[in-house]
Every structure is written in structure tokens, then in C-alpha cells.
Amino acid sequence: MRAEPGHLAHLPAHAPRGVWGAVMLAIDNRGAIDWDATEETIARLCATGVDGIYSNGTACEFHCQTEPEFDRLCDLVAAIAGRARLPFQIGISQSNPRVARERLMRVSAFRPAAVQFTLPDWWPPSDDEVMRFVGGLCETAPDMPLVLYNPSHAKRRLTLEGIARLRAAVPSLVGAKLPGGDASWYADMRRELPGFSVFVPGHTLATGFAQGAHGSYSNVACLNPKGAVTWWHMIRTDAAAAAEIETRIQAFLATHILPFRARYDVSDAALDKAMAAAGGWAPLGPRLLWPYRSVPNEEIATLAKAARTAFPEWWQ
Ligand SMILES: CC(=O)N[C@H]1[C@H]([C@H](O)[C@H](O)CO)O[C@](O)(C(=O)O)C[C@@H]1O
């Protein structure tokens, strides 16, 4: 069974939907955060028509930020998104659960639309510990909508049934950011999580939406936020055209992006930032914070050309 085309309408009003753009950090030649360029990047992202922006996902290198950097970035994101009247989410994710809880306490003051969190990560938490952790986040900020970020590289992966149990116990859990799956995964998702916002990877959004997903914290928006927004509109109005674009996106990733993993031994954050640098919509290079490796600068011009050849309509 396919999902109702109107499945977005079945979400509660405050649940996230659509294409959200990742805040990414501009890094200077010495390896420090370039705050001016980062500010400019966030402002440009806000002007692209995305449904919202979020900071401190993987692409934002949350795992490498110090606490003062985290606070400064939250301040910046809240100010710029506020000025643009755009919803924003902040990730409080941290492998140390007590530090994550402290981040949650501090960001509540900025009134984000929701907060994203990963599970405690050094020692994989048991079911009971997961429940205590998420319950504790809810106690810390009872009115804050929570979004679980449980990617495929998380040390503890929850099943859809596990997420449903968590949601039953913690009603402020409104959504999750998940790797998605095949048709049977989506069938399980529709059964287990009705009215719950499920976001899937950017390059699978057309097939994901057709099967009941509600949006994406999107890698396609790293490459070209306006293009990702146009595509999202198409996904809801012209499924055949949207599927054709998805085929092109996946071919582009397979041919031009994923090979960087083996060639340079880089992380997903490095792939996202290489795409952003090639997209050229912001003063952003491919460099990551220490100690992570990046796609070398010399690759960006070739990648930029490949992107414009693959999606000429996005750079007109
Ligand atoms: C393929 C894709 O869209 N990847 C995106 C992922 C996934 O949305 C998430 O891991 C769920 O699979 O989130 C990010 O890492 C993040 O939040 O910074 C950005 C990245 O571009």
C-alpha cells in the first residue's frame, strides 16, 4: 500500500516537514572557525526558500565543537533565522549524555522549533538507558519538541518499534531523522509511527516521500539549497519528474561524491562540505575542523563543473 498523498496533513502542526538546510562551518587557513563567513553562509541559506535550517548535525561538525563554539553558533543561528523569520532547530547531540543535557538547558533560551539529539555514544545504552536519557531530556525542557537523530553509524540503532515505544513514553518526541530503507521498512514505518515526522536522506526524498516520509535534513541542500527546494515542490506536484531528478542525484553521488570516501578516507561531513563548496552558494570551503580530513581544494572546481552538467536547471 502506498501512503496517502496527503500524509503531510496528518502530522501535528508543530511537527517538522519539508527540506531543511544544514548549517555548515566556514574554516579558515589555520583551522579555526571563520565566524564572519559562517554568518554569511547561514544568512544565505535562510534566503534560499528552505523550510527551516538546523545547526549541529554531522555536516555542522557538532562532534568537534568546543562548548564556547557551540554557544556562539547557537546564538548566531537563532539571531539570523529569527531575523529571516525562519524556523530553526539546534542539535544538542554529544557522545557524553550529561553534556548533551547541559546543551539542551542552554539552547532552550533561544526557543528553537525543535532540538535534535543523538543517543549516548561511547557505551551503547540499553533500552532502559535510552528511555532514561530521552525521558531526562523531556524533564529538562518539557515544552521542547525533540527529534531523534539515529543515523546508520550510531553505536545504538533503534528499531521502528523501539522508537514507537519511546514516543509513547515521551510525547514531546515529535520526529526522527533516519536512514530510511526498502519498501518493507516504509510499510513498518507507516504502521508503527503514524503522525510522527520521519526525515530521510536528501538523495532519497522522492521515493521516501512517496512511501510516507515527511522531509529531509538534506545533503542535496548542501549542494544547492534552491535546487533542493525546487525538487521538493516537484516531489509533491509531479512525481514522475521528481523521480527522474532523484535518478540523476543518485548517479551524481555514485560517480562524483562517494568515490572520495575511498580516495581520501573522508567522513560524510567532508562529502557534504565538498558539495557545498562545489555548489558555490556560500563562502564555504571543503575544510573540516581538526582532526578530520577533507576533500582537497583542488577537487572542487572539477566537482563544480560536474554538478552544473548534471543539474543545469539549478544553476541558471
Ligand atoms: C544523505 C543525507 O541527506 N545526509 C544528511 C544526514 C542525514 O539526513 C541523516 O544522517 C539521516 O540519515 O544528516 C546530516 O549528516 C546532518 O544532519 O548534518 C547531513 C547530511 O547531509
Side-chain angles (χ1 to χ4, degrees):
M1 191 200 78
R2 305 271 285 189
E4 294 292 314
H7 63 278
L8 288 180
H10 299 301
L11 282 181
H14 62 292
R17 65 202 71 207
V19 167
W20 288 58
V23 169
M24 284 170 278
L25 302 171
I27 310 296
D28 70 20
N29 294 335
R30 294 167 304 123
I33 299 174
D34 177 337
W35 290 101
D36 287 344
T38 299
E39 181 169 356
E40 175 67 23
T41 299
I42 300 169
R44 290 198 196 175
L45 185 59
C46 285
T48 56
V50 289
D51 293 289
I53 64 166
Y54 68 101
S55 61
N56 287 29
T58 307
C60 191
E61 304 172 79
F62 76 81
H63 46 294
C64 293
Q65 288 173 38
T66 65
E67 294 308 280
E69 287 167 345
F70 172 84
D71 288 339
R72 185 164 174 185
L73 183 66
C74 291
D75 208 355
L76 205 56
V77 167
I80 301 171
R83 237 178 278 138
R85 298 186 187 286
L86 199 65
F88 65 97
Q89 297 181 5
I90 293 178
I92 56 148
S93 306
Q94 233 290 339
S95 53
N96 177 337
R98 297 173 70 239
V99 174
R101 189 172 54 175
E102 287 177 0
R103 287 185 171 190
L104 174 59
M105 261 176 232
R106 301 202 302 280
V107 306
S108 294
F110 294 117
R111 306 213 149 275
V115 151
Q116 300 180 8
F117 65 94
T118 51
L119 297 175
D121 196 62
W122 174 244
W123 194 266
S126 67
D127 285 345
D128 180 52
E129 287 160 344
V130 167
M131 200 60 93
R132 286 162 62 135
F133 174 65
V134 183
L137 295 183
C138 178
E139 270 165 38
T140 301
D143 302 326
M144 181 66 72
L146 298 172
V147 173
L148 167 72
Y149 179 20
N150 197 216
S152 42
H153 59 86
K155 223 167 250 172
R156 179 74 212 280
R157 294 284 307 281
L158 299 185
T159 60
L160 290 162
E161 293 80 1
I163 297 173
R165 275 195 297 277
L166 209 52
R167 178 195 187 193
V170 184
S172 58
L173 186 66
V174 297
K177 172 179 179 184
L178 301 171
D182 59 12
S184 85
W185 185 88
Y186 279 103
D188 292 348
M189 180 213 101
R190 295 194 298 272
R191 191 187 62 245
E192 294 292 336
L193 295 170
F196 184 75
S197 168
V198 173
F199 274 37
V200 296
H203 60 279
T204 65
L205 187 53
T207 46
F209 178 78
Q211 298 177 90
H214 305 93
S216 181
Y217 301 104
S218 169
N219 58 343
V220 180
C222 293
L223 177 67
N224 188 317
K226 279 188 189 152
V229 169
T230 317
W231 184 43
W232 171 237
H233 179 73
M234 200 182 278
I235 285 171
R236 284 165 300 152
T237 53
D238 185 349
E244 186 275 325
I245 294 195
E246 185 170 285
T247 307
R248 267 193 278 152
I249 291 171
Q250 296 196 0
F252 175 77
L253 287 174
T255 311
H256 300 286
I257 302 294
L258 300 182
F260 288 144
R261 273 194 185 139
R263 200 176 311 153
Y264 299 115
D265 239 328
V266 291
S267 61
D268 284 8
L271 302 183
D272 286 338
K273 287 185 93 172
M275 285 201 281
W281 53 271
L284 205 58
R287 186 160 178 167
L288 302 190
L289 289 171
W290 181 86
Y292 287 95
R293 291 165 61 93
S294 358
V295 174
N297 264 322
E298 301 75 65
E299 292 279 5
I300 302 305
T302 316
L303 187 58
K305 215 163 149 220
R308 284 152 184 80
T309 307
F311 313 103
E313 66 270 49
W314 289 354
W315 276 276
Q316 267 163 18

